[in-house]
Amino acid sequence: MTAIKIAESLGRMFYLVSPSRHFFVTQGEVEPYVSDATIWFLFFIAAELIYFTIADKRKGLKRHDGKWDQGKYRMNDMIGSLGAGSVQQMSRFFLGSLQMVTYNYIWDNYRLPGLAFETFHLLTWIGCFLATDFMYYWFHRAAHEVNIFWAGHSVHHSSEYYNATTALRQSLAQTYTSFFFNLPLALVFSPAQFAVHTQLNLLFQFWIHTEIVPRMGWLEYIINTPSAHRVHHGRNPYCIDKNYAGTLIIWDRMFGTYADERIYPDVVATKEEEEPVAYGLTHPINTFDPVAVQLGHFKHIWNMLWITPGLINKFKVVFYGPGWHPGTPRTGLLSEIPDVDLKHPPKKYDPVLPRKFNYYIAAHFAIVMVVGSALLGELYKILPLRQTQAICVAFLVSLVSLAKIMDAKEYGLKVELTRMLTFFLMAEFVARSGFYEQTYWQRRGTLMVADTCFVSSLFIGWNIYKLGSTWATVVPATPKKGQDVKDKVKTN
C-alpha cells in the first residue's frame, strides 16, 4: 500500500477526503470503506490501550472500584462489543442488504427527472453529504424516542464503558430499521453517492468514541466531537436524548437537542458543578451474551405489552419513547431517570473470574475473531453460502458459550465443554471422513482445530470435576431491567 493510499484510508476515518476521488457513477465501483478500515479500528484500539498503560499508568485498566478514573477498558466488555459488531456484519449472509435493494429500486423507478448525474459536481457531492447526515440525525433521534427503534439501537448503548471498542458494538436489528429514513434520498442522489457517504458517515463516528480526547474548542459548534458524543452515551439525567449528530453537531443545535459535557472550567463555572458522564443504559443489562444483548429490549417490549392495559396503551408501548408508561408524556419523564451519585460512581458489571479462565477466554476469543475476520474479509467470496452460514452459526455459538463463562454462570463451564466436544467431533468428521473434498493443508488445519478443541475439553472437564459450581465469584445481581416501570404500570 502506497503512502497516498494509507493517507486516503486514514482520512476516511475523519471524513477528510478528496470529493473528486470519492465520486462514482455505479454502485459497483464503490470500495468497501468500512471493511477496509479494519486495520484502523485495530490501530485506534491499540493506541487507546497503550495510552491507558503508559500515560495513564494503568489506572484506566483497573477493575472499576468506585472511582471515576478507573475501569476504562475490561476484556469482557471488549469481547462483548467486538462480538456484537461481528454478528451485525455477518447478518448480511442471511438477510442480505435490504437498504441498498430498496434504495436502488426507488432510484431506478422514481428518481426526480434531471437530477441524475454521471459526471462529478462538487455542489451535488456536498449536497449528498449534508442530506445523508441530516437523515442520520432524524433516524438517530427516532432510535431514542420510539421504543421499537430503541430496541435495536440500545445495543450500541449497552456498554458501561466508552472507548474505541464501544463504537463497534452494533445492532443486528438497527440495520433493518434505519434504511427507511434514507429512502427519500433515492429520489435525488444515486446509489453510488449514497453508498460513499453512508460509509464515511459511519467511519467518522468511530474515532469519537473515546475519553482521551478533550473538548475541541470552536469545533464543538460544527462537528460531532468526543465530548459531545460522551454526553450522548451518558445515563445522567442531563445526557438523556441529547446530541444525536452523526458528523455535524449543527443539527442538534438547530433542533434543540444539544447539551454540553459538564466539564470545569470549559463549561461549568466551579469544580462543584462538574458532572462526569456515567455510561450505559439507565437499567444495565448485566450480561455479555450476544443474543441477550441484541434481543433484550425486544423481550422487554413484549413483557410490557402483556402487562399494559388497553389497545391504545399497547400501541404507545411500541411507538412512544422507551421511558413511557401510562400517565406520562410521549417520551416519559426525565425526573424518573435515576440520578448519578458523583461521589460514588455506579459500579460496572464485571464478574470476577479466576485468572486461568480469563486466559482461556482471551485465547479462544482470539481464535474466533481470526476466523470471523477471515470470513468477512475474503473467505466468504470462495466458500459456498451454506458453509459461510455454518461458520457464522459456529461463531455465534462460540460467543454465547464464552459469555456464559464471563457472566460467571454456574453452568458456564458445562456449556463450554459441550461446545468444545461438539466442535471436536465435527472437525474430526470433516478431516477424516472424506465427506468434504480438502487439500492437504486444509485437512491439516481442520485436524489442528480438532486438537485444540480436544485439549480445551480436557481443561474444562478437569475444572468441572475439581471446582464444580464454585468455580467463579459472582457479582451480586441488580434489579431486572424495567422492573420499576412494571411496578408503575401496575399502579396506574
Side-chain angles (χ1 to χ4, degrees):
M1 182 179 287
T2 65
I4 294 178
K5 287 286 187 181
I6 294 174
E8 281 188 346
S9 178
L10 179 59
R12 293 186 195 117
M13 303 297 295
F14 304 92
Y15 229 123
L16 298 175
V17 299
S18 167
S20 60
R21 291 179 62 87
H22 289 77
F23 170 82
F24 304 95
V25 176
T26 65
Q27 185 184 336
E29 298 175 278
V30 181
E31 299 173 43
Y33 299 141
V34 175
S35 298
D36 293 346
T38 300
I39 187 66
W40 293 116
F41 297 156
L42 298 175
F43 173 82
F44 283 113
I45 292 170
E48 260 196 330
L49 288 170
I50 292 171
Y51 171 86
F52 285 121
T53 301
I54 300 176
D56 191 53
K57 299 180 180 179
R58 299 186 63 84
K59 285 188 296 183
L61 301 182
K62 293 180 180 179
R63 184 183 300 278
H64 187 261
D65 190 25
K67 297 180 180 179
W68 286 106
D69 60 352
Q70 291 182 349
K72 306 300 184 183
Y73 257 100
R74 297 299 292 172
M75 184 184 72
N76 46 24
D77 178 79
M78 184 189 305
I79 290 175
S81 294
L82 297 178
S86 300
V87 168
Q88 186 266 343
Q89 287 291 305
M90 289 180 179
S91 69
R92 70 177 189 260
F93 301 129
F94 297 86
L95 301 173
S97 181
L98 183 60
Q99 173 168 264
M100 292 314 300
V101 169
T102 52
Y103 194 100
N104 276 279
Y105 178 80
I106 293 176
W107 171 259
D108 291 338
N109 295 279
Y110 300 105
R111 67 175 179 261
L112 300 178
L115 293 176
F117 55 98
E118 296 183 354
T119 57
F120 173 71
H121 295 285
L122 179 60
L123 290 179
T124 308
W125 196 91
I126 294 174
C128 189
F129 155 61
L130 292 173
T132 301
D133 198 50
F134 180 71
M135 296 310 294
Y136 177 83
Y137 168 86
W138 285 107
F139 152 70
H140 199 181
R141 185 167 178 172
H144 281 257
E145 297 182 6
V146 178
N147 206 14
I148 191 66
F149 291 158
W150 173 247
H153 187 62
S154 63
V155 175
H156 181 60
H157 286 262
S158 61
S159 174
E160 295 179 285
Y161 301 78
Y162 190 76
N163 53 52
T165 65
T166 308
L168 303 178
R169 183 177 285 233
Q170 296 295 323
S171 164
L172 170 65
Q174 180 176 301
T175 307
Y176 303 98
T177 56
S178 62
F179 78 96
F180 288 110
F181 292 82
N182 294 317
L183 296 184
L185 302 182
L187 299 172
V188 180
F189 301 106
S190 70
Q193 291 312 294
F194 172 72
V196 167
H197 287 288
T198 193
Q199 288 191 88
L200 293 178
N201 190 290
L202 182 62
L203 289 177
F204 181 90
Q205 294 179 57
F206 175 80
W207 73 274
I208 60 178
H209 288 81
T210 181
E211 293 192 67
I212 295 175
V213 179
R215 282 177 60 84
M216 300 178 69
W218 59 270
L219 286 175
E220 299 289 341
Y221 293 91
I222 303 172
I223 66 171
N224 197 8
T225 65
S227 176
H229 207 59
R230 285 194 287 268
V231 171
H232 178 72
H233 272 258
R235 65 193 199 202
N236 314 55
Y238 85 92
C239 298
I240 300 300
D241 294 343
K242 299 297 183 182
N243 300 359
Y244 296 119
T247 303
L248 299 175
I249 203 67
I250 59 174
W251 312 121
D252 286 287
R253 293 184 177 274
M254 288 171 59
F255 297 110
T257 53
Y258 178 78
D260 276 310
E261 186 179 15
R262 295 182 179 175
I263 295 177
Y264 170 80
D266 296 344
V267 176
V268 296
T270 65
K271 189 68 176 176
E272 290 71 25
E273 294 177 283
E274 189 171 55
E275 185 173 344
V277 177
Y279 302 106
L281 304 172
T282 57
H283 297 86
I285 55 174
N286 293 337
T287 183
F288 302 108
D289 184 336
V291 175
V293 170
Q294 293 284 346
L295 302 179
H297 197 74
F298 287 102
K299 180 181 178 181
H300 170 66
I301 291 176
W302 178 256
N303 292 337
M304 292 297 294
L305 284 171
W306 275 104
I307 66 173
T308 302
L311 186 61
I312 293 178
N313 283 336
K314 291 182 186 297
F315 176 87
K316 292 178 178 180
V317 165
V318 177
F319 295 104
Y320 275 28
W324 179 87
H325 58 83
T328 63
R330 183 182 66 84
T331 56
L333 290 171
L334 193 61
S335 60
E336 292 182 351
I337 302 297
D339 287 321
V340 173
D341 187 343
L342 301 184
K343 294 183 179 180
H344 303 92
K347 190 170 184 180
K348 298 176 181 179
Y349 179 69
D350 188 15
V352 181
L353 304 180
R355 185 170 298 177
K356 59 183 175 181
F357 293 115
N358 286 327
Y359 291 145
Y360 177 91
I361 291 168
H364 275 267
F365 181 69
I367 295 171
V368 167
M369 285 306 296
V370 167
V371 174
S373 298
L375 182 69
L376 291 171
E378 297 293 334
L379 195 57
Y380 77 92
K381 298 177 183 178
I382 61 176
L383 288 178
L385 179 59
R386 288 188 177 180
Q387 289 187 25
T388 298
Q389 292 174 334
I391 294 174
C392 292
V393 171
F395 183 93
L396 179 60
V397 168
S398 299
L399 290 179
V400 171
S401 183
L402 294 177
K404 298 304 180 185
I405 302 178
M406 293 189 295
D407 284 339
K409 297 294 185 183
E410 181 179 328
Y411 56 86
L413 294 186
K414 295 178 182 178
V415 171
E416 178 63 8
L417 179 61
T418 302
R419 178 179 81 98
M420 285 293 94
L421 289 175
T422 301
F423 283 13
F424 165 70
L425 294 174
M426 291 174 62
E428 282 287 322
F429 172 78
V430 169
R432 301 184 188 280
S433 67
F435 187 76
Y436 295 104
E437 184 177 347
Q438 299 180 87
T439 66
Y440 171 80
W441 289 111
Q442 287 174 330
R443 184 172 180 273
R444 295 302 304 170
T446 305
L447 288 172
M448 187 179 297
V449 171
D451 292 341
T452 301
C453 293
F454 181 72
V455 173
S456 299
S457 299
L458 294 178
F459 171 79
I460 296 296
W462 173 253
N463 279 283
I464 291 175
Y465 171 72
K466 292 291 290 184
L467 303 177
S469 62
T470 63
W471 65 273
T473 303
V474 182
V475 171
T478 57
K480 290 185 178 180
K481 175 183 180 180
Q483 187 60 51
D484 56 341
V485 177
K486 293 180 182 179
D487 294 338
K488 291 185 179 71
V489 171
K490 291 177 181 177
T491 58
N492 274 278

